[in-house]
Amino acid sequence: NWTYLNDFHAYSAPGASRTNYKGGNSANIGGALPDWRGSTTLTWRKNQWGAGLGLYYIASYTDVNATTTQAVWDSLGNPSYIKPVFNNGAYSYRYVVHDTKSYNLFVTYRVAAQNRWLNNTNIRLGVNNLFDAKPPLSADSRGYEVGLYNVMARGLTWSAQVTKKL
């Protein structure tokens, strides 16, 4: 489920011309536009048991609201956590929000019993954000990009689910 998001398009109204923000990080628009986002899950099943490990990845991006000048960038020794971005005929120097990974884990058990009320009942226990990863710092008023990291901001989250197949 990997997606490359390097070509962002915006439409203002039906029949209106399209605005193409090529290279989402270079456009002077609000919000975070990482080039890559993806998720994958590895699952296992044997008899009544099952398990899975999922990975959710968000690539680095430049923060349009955290900028500085070339003089400051030069005085800091051109650090890699600030990236020059060419936009509207000039350079701005933006903070680079690092990439993130979070992991989810679950285990399932399917009850096989003679009792019709218990037979074909699935029990699932899981944990989201297994290593309690924190969202990276950004210039958003909450300190992180809510649109990208709302689930991660909740921290390590446990879940239990029981389902019955009728």
Side-chain angles (χ1 to χ4, degrees):
N1 296 351
W2 294 98
T3 306
Y4 183 63
L5 300 174
N6 199 25
D7 194 9
F8 180 79
H9 304 286
Y11 299 89
S12 55
S17 63
R18 179 178 79 179
T19 303
N20 185 13
Y21 298 112
K22 187 69 173 165
N25 287 337
S26 63
N28 193 16
I29 58 176
L33 295 171
D35 283 341
W36 288 96
R37 290 175 73 161
S39 64
T40 190
T41 303
L42 177 65
T43 59
W44 167 85
R45 182 177 273 189
K46 182 167 179 145
N47 299 325
Q48 283 100 349
W49 289 95
L53 176 66
L55 163 69
Y56 186 62
Y57 175 78
I58 300 174
S60 64
Y61 61 93
T62 60
D63 191 339
V64 71
N65 295 312
T67 62
T68 190
T69 64
Q70 182 178 0
V72 170
W73 185 63
D74 288 339
S75 72
L76 293 171
N78 305 336
S80 61
Y81 61 86
I82 298 174
K83 180 179 179 181
V85 176
F86 189 77
N87 186 38
N88 293 330
Y91 280 96
S92 63
Y93 295 82
R94 296 185 187 166
Y95 173 68
V96 177
V97 178
H98 65 82
D99 64 335
T100 59
K101 294 181 264 314
S102 64
Y103 299 89
N104 302 329
L105 180 69
F106 69 89
V107 64
T108 62
Y109 182 76
R110 182 176 35 87
V111 178
Q114 297 297 328
N115 182 320
R116 70 181 182 124
W117 297 104
L118 291 177
N119 195 36
N120 288 323
T121 299
N122 288 309
I123 302 167
R124 177 183 167 134
L125 301 174
V127 60
N128 286 347
N129 197 358
L130 180 63
F131 300 112
D132 200 17
K134 305 294 184 223
L137 183 65
S138 78
D140 186 89
S141 64
R142 289 152 287 208
Y144 66 95
E145 278 292 334
V146 176
L148 286 177
Y149 301 108
N150 201 25
V151 172
M152 185 183 285
R154 294 179 194 149
L156 185 127
T157 308
W158 294 90
S159 65
Q161 180 181 21
V162 177
T163 57
K164 169 72 174 124
K165 191 174 190 179
L166 298 176

